[in-house]
Amino acid sequence: MKEWMKNVRQVVPYVPGEQPKETDIIKLNTNENPYPPSPKVQEMCSRIDDLRLYPDPAASRLVDAIADYKGIGRDQVFVGVGSDDVLAMSFLTFFNSGRPILFPDITYSFYDVWAELFRVPYETKALDEDFRIRPEDYYGENGGVIFPNPNAPTGILMPLAAIRDILDHNRDVVVIVDEAYIDFGGETAQSLLADYDNLLVVQTFSKSRSLAGLRIGYAMGSPELIRALSDVKYSFNSYTMNQPSILLGAASIEDEPYFRETTGEIIATREWFKEEMRGLGFTFPDSRANFLFVTHESVPAREIFEAARAEKIYLRYFPKERIDNYLRITIGTREEMERLLAFLREYLGR
């Protein structure tokens, strides 16, 4: 080995969902929203100027829009380049005690990558036989707690009472609730912020607001947590949020009727799709996200994944212990889901 290579930090990277370059495909593998962004976003596009200038490092217009929408102080909002950026900054900021942080064994697979990258010790807690988080597993001494709600890739929603239970047993560490999918049928933990100054709630514009291409994420928490995050951000990169993201993100959050219309359409399609899939012999947890996590009674998941891909239908397959016979299927438009069902009926002989 070359001498300098001994000092290179090496980690096993996160593997994102495939982004095919083909056309005429059905893309149900990365949980993107099938509907376009708000028309207000399109209107704002034509008004963006002065790109020769650095953007506002505080992203004030976007922060103010989020704070007004959520009914909290602007000193309780932190924005970043997608929720991944916000979560990575949170690992770097809050998980430094030397004690292991805790998260589920089946969850968003970026958590262990960040832990390895930032050299944060961690322990995973096994979901129960129904893929549910057990709050009691998060009692006891630790360096912090993080979990998605709804969880990914299962889509299972944890009730606020269970989140409060975890918080009550973790008063001395930061607890992060990752709510990337909360707008598709869950109750946000934002209401708990008034009672827990160590709670950080992270959300994103990528899923419910159809802005995955802009990379906008944000955190809500106590002013103390937000100030600490901001200090780390300004020590890392003072211009993390670009001007189009600031302006277009603010325009999106100001269009509540469109947001409710499109998320409502996805929820309705999901509930219809559940019944259709049950009729084809699939079982799955009761998802409250914009995807289903399915397994079939007789056909291996990998075989379905490969056969669908050959027909230009992209699903997500995870070759991991406990979930290697499951597929995660994003909820697309009604037409896209009908095309998927037609493929499945033919493939399964139903």
Side-chain angles (χ1 to χ4, degrees):
M1 178 183 293
K2 296 177 182 179
E3 189 64 27
W4 61 265
M5 291 185 66
K6 297 178 182 178
N7 298 314
V8 174
R9 180 167 298 186
Q10 299 184 23
V11 294
V12 178
Y14 171 75
V15 179
E18 185 176 2
Q19 295 288 352
K21 302 298 189 294
E22 305 166 87
T23 57
D24 189 30
I25 65 171
I26 299 177
K27 189 170 183 294
L28 305 175
N29 64 327
T30 50
N31 297 341
E32 293 145 327
N33 196 311
Y35 301 106
S38 159
K40 292 184 181 295
V41 172
Q42 303 297 332
E43 293 171 13
M44 179 59 71
C45 282
S46 63
R47 295 160 52 189
I48 294 173
D49 57 11
D50 286 335
L51 291 180
R52 65 183 181 82
L53 302 176
Y54 283 111
D56 172 15
S60 299
R61 180 162 180 175
L62 180 58
V63 168
D64 289 345
I66 293 171
D68 289 345
Y69 178 73
K70 294 293 186 177
I72 57 179
R74 67 179 319 278
D75 61 350
Q76 292 182 270
V77 177
F78 174 87
V79 298
V81 185
S83 60
D84 286 341
D85 180 48
V86 175
L87 291 166
M89 288 285 182
S90 299
F91 270 65
L92 196 58
T93 304
F94 301 120
F95 296 156
N96 297 294
S97 70
R99 297 187 297 272
I101 64 170
L102 309 179
F103 50 84
D105 65 335
I106 299 171
T107 193
Y108 185 32
S109 53
F110 227 139
Y111 295 162
D112 57 347
V113 173
W114 287 319
E116 295 285 350
L117 178 63
F118 299 132
R119 297 179 179 173
V120 176
Y122 66 94
E123 293 178 7
T124 60
K125 299 297 182 179
L127 301 180
D128 69 14
E129 62 275 9
D130 296 318
F131 290 147
R132 296 185 180 276
I133 292 173
R134 293 176 288 215
E136 60 269 24
D137 289 342
Y138 297 84
Y139 298 176
E141 186 176 13
N142 62 72
V145 175
I146 181 170
F147 54 87
N149 195 43
N151 196 10
T154 66
I156 295 176
L157 181 73
M158 182 189 300
L160 286 188
I163 296 175
R164 185 180 287 275
D165 185 16
I166 291 174
L167 285 160
D168 284 338
H169 288 86
N170 289 279
R171 292 280 190 169
D172 297 326
V173 298
V174 173
V175 176
I176 302 175
V177 182
D178 180 359
E179 293 187 338
Y181 302 100
I182 198 67
D183 293 324
F184 299 106
E187 184 178 2
T188 174
Q190 180 193 340
S191 61
L192 303 180
L193 292 175
D195 297 329
Y196 301 94
D197 61 3
N198 61 324
L199 169 63
L200 196 72
V201 178
V202 177
Q203 296 188 2
T204 179
F205 282 53
S206 295
K207 316 299 183 186
S208 59
R209 295 190 179 274
S210 305
L211 291 176
L214 281 184
R215 312 304 297 125
I216 303 172
Y218 62 99
M220 299 177 286
S222 65
E224 292 81 7
L225 292 185
I226 300 305
R227 188 160 50 248
L229 269 174
S230 296
D231 287 346
V232 170
K233 171 209 166 179
Y234 287 125
S235 301
F236 183 78
N237 181 355
S238 57
Y239 296 108
T240 55
M241 180 71 68
N242 63 65
Q243 186 188 27
S245 292
I246 293 170
L247 297 178
L248 300 181
S252 173
I253 208 166
E254 290 164 0
D255 193 352
E256 180 70 3
Y258 185 82
F259 168 72
R260 294 297 174 190
E261 177 186 351
T262 53
T263 54
E265 188 68 31
I266 290 169
I267 291 169
T269 302
R270 180 190 68 202
E271 296 307 302
W272 160 79
F273 185 64
K274 286 179 180 178
E275 294 305 312
E276 297 294 323
M277 290 293 277
R278 290 189 183 103
L280 291 176
F282 288 92
T283 57
F284 41 85
D286 185 24
S287 174
R288 286 294 178 266
N290 68 333
F291 57 83
L292 294 190
F293 191 57
V294 309
T295 186
H296 193 264
E297 59 189 5
S298 59
V299 183
R302 182 185 284 275
E303 292 183 12
I304 298 173
F305 166 77
E306 292 174 349
R309 193 177 186 281
E311 296 297 319
K312 295 188 177 182
I313 300 173
Y314 287 80
L315 312 176
R316 190 73 189 268
Y317 175 68
F318 299 92
K320 296 182 177 181
E321 187 178 357
R322 293 188 71 189
I323 61 172
D324 60 356
N325 199 32
Y326 283 80
L327 296 170
R328 193 191 67 191
I329 303 175
T330 303
I331 302 300
T333 63
R334 177 74 175 243
E335 180 184 4
E336 288 174 327
M337 307 317 288
E338 286 176 343
R339 288 176 62 186
L340 171 60
L341 287 168
F343 158 77
L344 290 172
R345 292 188 186 104
E346 181 176 358
Y347 183 75
L348 299 171
R350 298 294 181 101

